[in-house]
Amino acid sequence: DNINIIVTDYTTGDATWTEPVDGWVAGMNQFFVACDEPCAVALVRDEVASELSCVAVEGGYLFTADGLVDGDEIVIVKRGDADLDGTVRAIDATRVAQSLIDMYEFTGRECVQMLAADADRDGTLRAIDATRIAQSLIGLYDLTWNLSE
């Protein structure tokens, strides 16, 4: 039986995605995401975002989400877009740095903002993430998809 999965795209339409061929089902599902900019894709349950890994395929990336249950959410964000406005800009790097010294608080979807802000994908928000976001804007660092090993 199919289950209800919410897919929230924070890329302001820059990403395209397709749901599994047979629709969302309890358990394991594979789905496709394409975007010209690196994205983070995660399963969100109880306001905890668990980033999904992917494999590169023709035209985009194939993701596997295991253990889905009715009501789960899949989020798609541009890597580095800490304020979730769909564009990676200098203000994103600034917000990450400010959050580390309690001058800025992520509001609303904190787990999703933290996912987007974790530029080096190590699971921890640190000053290097602000640096990497800023470096990516001038071509000194490449933000990446979370490719399976």
Side-chain angles (χ1 to χ4, degrees), residues 2-73:
N2 287 63
I3 59 174
N4 181 39
I5 299 296
I6 300 160
V7 178
T8 306
D9 177 2
Y10 288 96
T11 69
T12 61
D14 289 343
T16 57
W17 60 274
T18 56
E19 68 179 42
V21 175
D22 296 325
W24 299 103
V25 297
M28 188 172 74
N29 294 263
Q30 288 192 318
F31 60 99
F32 176 84
V33 177
C35 187
D36 289 338
E37 297 177 55
C39 292
V41 178
L43 167 63
V44 176
R45 184 181 296 151
D46 299 324
E47 287 307 306
V48 174
S50 302
E51 187 169 5
L52 303 173
S53 61
C54 62
V55 293
V57 295
E58 185 175 339
Y61 299 87
L62 186 64
F63 288 85
T64 300
D66 199 9
L68 290 182
V69 297
D70 193 60
D72 278 346
E73 180 182 17

